Amino acid sequence: MDTATKVYVAFSSAELFSSTQTYLLNYPEGRVLSNEEILGEIRRRCSEIQFVGTPEVKTAGQAAVEIEDQIDSLDGLLYFGSLSTELLQTGLPTVAVYPLWGQWQEAFHAYKGSRVLVATLPVIPDTSEAMFSSRLDAIADKLKLVDAVTRLKRLKILLITDKPVLGEYAPYPWQTAQEGREEYERAYLENLAALGGEIVVRSQQEMVSQLQAVPDAAAGEVAARWIAGAEGMKGTNEAQVRESAKLYLAMKEMLDKYNANAITTEGYGVFMYHDGGLIPSQGLPSSMLCTEGVIATSETLVDSLITQQLGLWITGSAGFNGDYIVDVENNKAYIGHCESSLNPYGDECRVPYVIRNLPQWPIDEQEIGGACVQVRLPEDEPVTVVKVSVHDKKMAMFSGQTVNGEQLFPGWDEILCRTKVAINVDAKQLFEHLDWWAFDVHRVVFYGDHRQTFADLAKVLGYELVVEDGSLQICGS
């Protein structure tokens, strides 16, 4: 099956227009790009996208007719020129490019309220090669957002719970209080289906049976690898790491069995009190799967999973999903959980980690319950914090700088979640924008300044963007 994202491309003009046609006469050493050259540069930067269309000039009406003839097979539109009403009505996520010096800018605008991203590309290349290359890169990056949203159509989520459809942890009672859980889940699944995503629900007992079938030797090999890569262990032991390794292998087996490409389980207290007996922590398994490029979110947090999945496709990293706290007086935000990918920048570099037990166990019951992980995430680094709400069709976002938690609170590593980040933020703004009803109590941290990228992603999704700290004035929102 052909799974490449298909983008229709059309040009409304070629090279120079009347008022600039004397350019080469008076400046013969100049260069004017043809549509073929422009499309070639875009193709080179977007090899994963299949472009449908030709470099020949077409009117907006001609392009609209061609799009209509193949609308069911198209995922996006790349248009050089001002968008007509007909093109906007196709409903395709669109990258509209103004061909500077190729036509006047009249009628080209930000297309607010639509699924349109805008860019400018001069047909006379900039004097600075770096500037011109960055323009092409920006167009490619916007097209890659179209590709990411298209890939949601192929996202199959394996959700392990005994409380279908969405699980025990989320949605939270306050999220369903107004419409009831049944109606909330109906609306949620309808919105998820509109994105193309699919959920397959399986019971916890099936996962436990799969775990029990894992050979000890196979689990031992995985556990030995994890232990060898760690800085150390605290509050757990090799036997418990092997139990979580069995869960990891069971999760992988079920992903293959159901042809799923992401997974979310229950966890924490739900695992602790499972009727069939204690289920070992998914902290280590989820961390390792996310590091391997498979989103594995705990606590059946599907919104977090969608956020992480989009982030993985866009930034290369699964990010760090965790519970979210705003400390207004200290001007900080804290995010913590008991798992995290080990490659926060999405590259080959791995950050240090310590294998721990879950913090829920009382003092006299330490070395039980499998193993989770304390990841030493980088400090003094910019981060972009994001959360998608599928039910409300919204995206929340803020940014900040990570800081040393130990300088804020003694024994930082022993407070609540094993893995945590403290972030310098405009906490008053964050607190005023808190929306537990749409975004629940979790956020996803991505290292780097990705504010404009996620703002653009919200447009492509057709979701309302909530900039929780007011840190970005969005063009075309």
Side-chain angles (χ1 to χ4, degrees):
M1 182 176 67
D2 184 6
T3 58
T5 295
K6 292 184 179 180
V7 173
Y8 180 88
V9 59
F11 294 82
S12 63
S13 62
E15 301 183 9
L16 303 174
F17 72 119
S18 58
S19 298
T20 55
Q21 285 180 347
T22 59
Y23 171 71
L24 291 177
L25 173 66
N26 295 306
Y27 191 68
E29 63 269 37
R31 180 187 174 202
V32 178
L33 291 174
S34 67
N35 290 348
E36 288 85 353
E37 290 175 297
I38 292 171
L39 184 54
E41 289 288 347
I42 299 297
R43 286 185 194 274
R44 186 169 63 83
R45 287 168 168 80
C46 301
S47 58
E48 70 280 10
I49 294 175
Q50 179 182 342
F51 290 96
V52 180
T54 64
E56 284 75 32
V57 174
K58 292 184 178 71
T59 66
Q62 289 171 326
V65 169
E66 291 190 6
I67 290 170
E68 184 62 30
D69 288 342
Q70 49 191 318
I71 189 68
D72 290 340
S73 66
L74 294 175
D75 301 304
L77 168 62
L78 172 62
Y79 191 73
F80 290 82
S82 301
L83 293 169
S84 66
T85 301
E86 293 171 293
L87 292 175
L88 287 169
Q89 288 176 343
T90 65
L92 291 172
T94 298
V95 178
V97 182
Y98 167 55
L100 177 61
W101 315 130
Q103 55 186 252
W104 290 114
Q105 200 172 25
E106 59 196 20
F108 191 92
H109 57 96
Y111 305 101
K112 293 183 179 181
S114 63
R115 299 174 69 191
V116 178
L117 305 179
V118 295
T120 299
L121 186 71
V123 297
I124 299 172
D126 299 87
T127 301
S128 165
E129 291 185 11
M131 179 66 208
F132 185 68
S133 181
S134 71
R135 293 181 190 266
L136 288 163
D137 291 343
I139 295 169
D141 287 343
K142 294 175 193 299
L143 287 167
K144 288 173 183 176
L145 296 178
V146 175
D147 179 57
V149 172
T150 300
R151 291 171 74 174
L152 287 175
K153 298 175 184 178
R154 303 188 293 275
L155 180 63
K156 190 173 184 180
I157 301 166
L158 182 59
L159 194 152
I160 310 296
T161 184
D162 295 332
K163 188 177 181 179
V165 174
L166 294 179
E168 185 74 33
Y169 279 93
Y172 291 86
W174 62 84
Q175 292 180 288
T176 61
Q178 184 172 358
E179 59 190 318
R181 181 172 174 118
E182 183 177 347
E183 175 58 24
Y184 182 99
E185 287 193 331
R186 186 205 62 76
Y188 191 102
L189 294 174
E190 181 179 288
N191 291 345
L192 181 62
L195 296 175
E198 176 188 359
I199 290 177
V200 175
V201 178
R202 305 307 300 170
S203 71
Q204 293 193 100
Q205 188 54 51
E206 181 177 343
M207 183 178 69
V208 169
S209 297
Q210 191 70 57
L211 179 156
Q212 292 170 343
V214 172
D216 289 340
E221 289 178 9
V222 171
R225 186 168 69 246
W226 292 350
I227 293 169
E231 284 189 336
M233 285 195 293
K234 184 177 181 180
T236 189
N237 55 47
E238 186 176 345
Q240 293 304 312
V241 178
R242 281 198 302 272
E243 289 302 303
S244 283
K246 287 183 178 181
L247 180 61
Y248 163 83
L249 293 171
M251 291 165 69
K252 292 189 72 169
E253 185 67 27
M254 292 185 73
L255 281 163
D256 289 341
K257 179 178 179 180
Y258 294 104
N259 195 29
N261 38 26
I263 185 170
T264 182
T265 65
E266 300 287 1
Y268 214 63
V270 176
F271 275 14
M272 185 178 183
Y273 300 113
H274 178 243
D275 288 342
L278 171 70
I279 301 174
S281 170
Q282 94 306 320
L284 258 175
S286 291
S287 300
M288 296 306 177
L289 285 167
C290 283
T291 304
E292 295 164 11
V294 178
I295 301 301
T297 306
S298 65
E299 300 177 1
T300 58
L301 300 172
V302 181
D303 276 345
S304 292
L305 184 151
I306 297 291
T307 307
Q308 289 186 273
Q309 187 67 72
L310 287 166
L312 176 65
W313 288 332
I314 294 166
T315 72
S317 171
F320 167 49
N321 173 65
D323 290 273
Y324 172 52
I325 298 172
V326 180
D327 183 352
V328 176
E329 288 75 14
N330 215 10
N331 228 29
K332 301 289 185 293
Y334 312 124
I335 296 175
H337 243 210
C338 292
E339 68 277 335
S340 170
S341 60
L342 306 180
N343 54 339
Y345 298 102
D347 53 19
E348 295 302 313
C349 181
R350 302 291 186 266
V351 295
Y353 66 95
V354 178
I355 297 175
R356 301 288 304 265
N357 63 335
L358 288 170
Q360 73 196 57
W361 297 106
I363 293 172
D364 59 348
E365 295 181 1
Q366 282 296 286
E367 296 191 355
I368 59 175
C372 66
V373 65
Q374 176 186 314
V375 180
R376 302 196 186 282
L377 292 169
E379 299 166 0
D380 301 317
E381 292 288 334
V383 291
T384 308
V385 183
V386 186
K387 185 65 181 298
V388 167
S389 169
V390 172
H391 178 273
D392 287 52
K393 294 187 174 181
K394 292 181 178 181
M395 178 188 292
M397 178 180 70
F398 68 89
S399 60
Q401 189 93 359
T402 58
V403 296
N404 185 301
E406 191 69 30
Q407 293 179 359
L408 301 172
F409 298 97
W412 170 255
D413 288 343
E414 307 309 321
I415 302 172
L416 287 176
C417 310
R418 295 310 189 197
T419 299
K420 291 182 290 295
V421 290
I423 309 170
N424 266 335
V425 293
D426 185 340
K428 184 178 179 181
Q429 283 281 340
L430 290 186
F431 195 76
E432 290 178 354
H433 285 93
L434 276 176
D435 186 350
W436 303 123
W437 294 267
F439 301 111
D440 73 53
V441 300
H442 295 87
R443 295 293 188 275
V444 181
V445 180
F446 295 98
Y447 274 77
D449 183 354
H450 303 292
R451 288 175 295 174
Q452 189 61 56
T453 299
F454 280 105
D456 286 345
L457 175 63
K459 285 204 76 177
V460 176
L461 285 167
Y463 278 22
E464 177 188 343
L465 179 66
V466 181
V467 183
E468 296 181 298
D469 59 353
S471 65
L472 183 66
Q473 295 298 315
I474 306 301
C475 175
S477 60

